[in-house]
């Protein structure tokens, strides 16, 4: 009788002989909705954010024995977010850094954590007398984002935006792509180019005016999208990232996820009408999805900054 061990048996033996241990873990309160009204002057200011706090470290006994002596309650994390907002929120990156510093410094067993914030914008309502001092309308443009992660004394900041919907009615082409028996797409020298930009960029320092840099990066991306004569959405994406890195030395790399919001020319011939590139069908799915990282050559990678930042290549 053969005693040869198969690879499947070896794999099963390896699996069964190893001890069962706790792997990476984190815990916290997700999506804490916070609106702060600054009433220091008759002209009020609104800060509207969604904050998630997750801590890391010291949880072996909690998981293995149900010992909660080192488990900072998620409700405590929520309350801390609200309490810190009493002194103001400011730039969302600075607020997340403040939260991280508090938890790591005040609880000796906390090794680090992750603080993610989304910020929503409000515009003042215009009246016959000008902008109203305390009436607002929700701005349905992009959402500002940040993910701040802390590993001991090291802090990593990845900021960005999502749902920045942009469109060019001309100045875009797409041709020269390979064709096979499944290719039906017609080449074009003049098309609508539209996308919803999601971008995230990694800072190399926390000594930054985050509000000013955010406004600058947003404006640069919009200008590059508008002024680049596009032969492909990929080309436009790279031009946007290149422009950001050239203008902002505090950013090491920027990642994009950009769906191609297709606009197809409607055939009006059955109705006896021409269509000189004017009437389109806006398709929401399926869609092309272009993703890429634009980075400085030779810049050291920092995977800890991007850990848990999903949706990017």
């Amino acid at each position: 009788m053969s005693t040869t061990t198969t690879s499947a048996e070896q794999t099963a033996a390896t699996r069964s002989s190893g001890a069962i241990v706790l792997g990476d873990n984190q815990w916290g309160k997700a999506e804490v909705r916070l609106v702060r009204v600054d009433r220091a002057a008759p002209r009020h200011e609104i800060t509207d954010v969604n904050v998630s706090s997750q801590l890391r470290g010291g949880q072996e006994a909690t998981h293995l024995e149900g010992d909660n002596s080192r488990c900072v309650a998620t409700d405590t994390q929520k309350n801390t977010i609200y309490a810190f907002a009493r002194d103001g929120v400011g730039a969302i990156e600075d607020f997340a850094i403040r939260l991280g510093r508090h938890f790591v410094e005040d609880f000796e067993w906390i090794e680090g954590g992750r603080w993610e914030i989304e910020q929503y914008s409000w515009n003042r309502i215009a009246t016959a007398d000008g902008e109203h001092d305390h009436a607002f309308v929700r701005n349905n443009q992009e959402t500002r984002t940040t993910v701040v992660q802390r590993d001991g004394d090291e802090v990593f900041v990845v900021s960005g935006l999502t749902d920045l919907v942009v469109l060019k009615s001309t100045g875009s082409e797409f041709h020269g792509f390979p064709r096979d028996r499944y290719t039906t797409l017609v080449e074009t020298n003049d098309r609508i180019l539209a996308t919803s930009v999601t971008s995230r960029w990694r800072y190399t320092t926390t000594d930054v005016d985050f509000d000013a840099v955010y406004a600058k990066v947003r404006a640069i991306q919009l200008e590059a999208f508008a002024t680049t004569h596009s032969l492909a959405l990929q080309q436009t994406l790279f031009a946007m990232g290149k422009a950001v890195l050239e203008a902002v030395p505090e950013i090491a790399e920027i990642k994009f996820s950009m769906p191609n919001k297709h606009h197809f020319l409607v055939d009006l011939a059955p109705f006896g009408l021409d269509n000189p590139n004017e009437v389109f069908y806006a398709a929401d799915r399926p869609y092309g999805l272009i993703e890429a990282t634009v980075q400085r050559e030779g810049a050291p990678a920092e995977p800890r900054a991007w850990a848990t930042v999903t949706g990017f290549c």
Side-chain angles (χ1 to χ4, degrees), residues 7 14 20-21 31 54 79 127 141 172 208 223 225 280:
S7 59
T14 300
I20 308 301
V21 297
E31 300 197 38
Q54 292 176 295
N79 293 340
T127 68
Q141 295 187 26
S172 175
V208 177
E223 182 175 4
F225 176 84
F280 296 86

Side-chain angles (χ1 to χ4, degrees), residues 38-310:
D38 184 345
R39 304 176 185 273
R43 187 176 174 86
H44 295 172
E45 303 289 342
I46 285 183
T47 303
D48 185 356
V49 293
N50 191 35
V51 185
S52 293
S53 170
Q54 292 176 295
L55 307 181
R56 299 169 183 159
Q59 293 307 290
E60 289 79 5
T62 307
H63 284 273
L64 303 182
E65 304 167 17
D67 178 354
N68 295 323
S69 59
R70 290 193 170 187
C71 182
V72 179
T74 65
D75 191 68
T76 301
Q77 296 182 51
K78 176 204 69 177
N79 293 340
T80 303
I81 291 167
Y82 288 132
F84 271 44
R86 177 62 182 86
D87 296 327
V89 175
I92 57 176
E93 292 87 353
D94 288 326
F95 190 63
I97 290 170
R98 284 173 57 202
L99 289 169
R101 184 184 305 118
H102 162 74
F103 285 113
V104 170
E105 292 181 354
D106 282 26
F107 299 92
E108 61 179 354
W109 60 88
I110 300 298
E111 300 167 358
R114 177 186 191 274
W115 294 270
E116 179 172 8
I117 304 179
E118 299 175 336
Q119 183 171 17
Y120 314 111
S121 300
W122 292 80
N123 295 331
R124 298 183 185 279
I125 294 177
T127 68
D129 297 325
E131 291 184 340
H132 202 280
D133 285 343
H134 52 265
F136 302 83
V137 59
R138 174 74 175 266
N139 182 342
N140 289 320
Q141 295 187 26
E142 84 282 358
T143 298
R144 179 176 170 180
T145 66
T146 194
V147 175
V148 172
Q149 303 198 69
R150 186 165 182 140
D151 185 2
D153 293 332
E154 293 185 275
V155 179
F156 309 98
V157 181
V158 173
S159 294
L161 55 83
T162 188
D163 296 330
L164 181 63
V165 180
V166 291
L167 180 149
K168 288 178 67 172
S169 55
T170 191
S172 175
E173 308 178 31
F174 190 60
H175 48 75
F177 47 87
R179 308 192 72 89
D180 66 6
R181 60 180 177 152
Y182 301 115
T183 303
T184 59
L185 185 65
V186 178
E187 297 189 350
T188 178
N189 294 310
D190 188 8
R191 67 169 182 171
I192 288 178
L193 180 65
T195 185
S196 177
V197 181
T198 295
S199 61
R200 303 253 192 173
W201 51 89
R202 175 171 64 89
Y203 287 103
T204 58
T205 176
T206 58
D207 186 18
V208 177
D209 183 340
F210 290 110
D211 285 343
V213 173
Y214 176 82
K216 185 175 184 178
V217 171
R218 180 185 185 277
I220 290 170
Q221 291 187 48
L222 289 175
E223 182 175 4
F225 176 84
T227 59
T228 300
H229 185 91
S230 180
L231 302 179
L233 182 55
Q234 289 91 329
Q235 177 195 12
T236 297
L237 178 157
F238 184 81
M240 293 165 67
K242 181 173 181 287
V244 168
L245 294 182
E246 288 176 340
V248 187
E250 297 89 352
I251 294 176
E253 58 188 333
I254 182 168
K255 296 177 182 284
F256 291 91
S257 181
M258 295 169 58
N260 200 331
K261 290 184 167 290
H262 300 295
H263 289 69
F264 298 112
L265 198 67
V266 177
D267 181 10
L268 299 179
F271 319 123
L273 300 171
D274 66 350
N275 189 358
N277 216 24
E278 293 180 349
V279 181
F280 296 86
Y281 165 62
D284 66 340
R285 67 196 66 181
Y287 52 85
L289 181 60
I290 312 303
E291 297 181 318
T293 301
V294 183
Q295 59 195 26
R296 300 183 189 279
E297 186 176 13
E302 187 43 83
R304 288 177 296 174
W306 293 102
T308 75
V309 181
T310 58

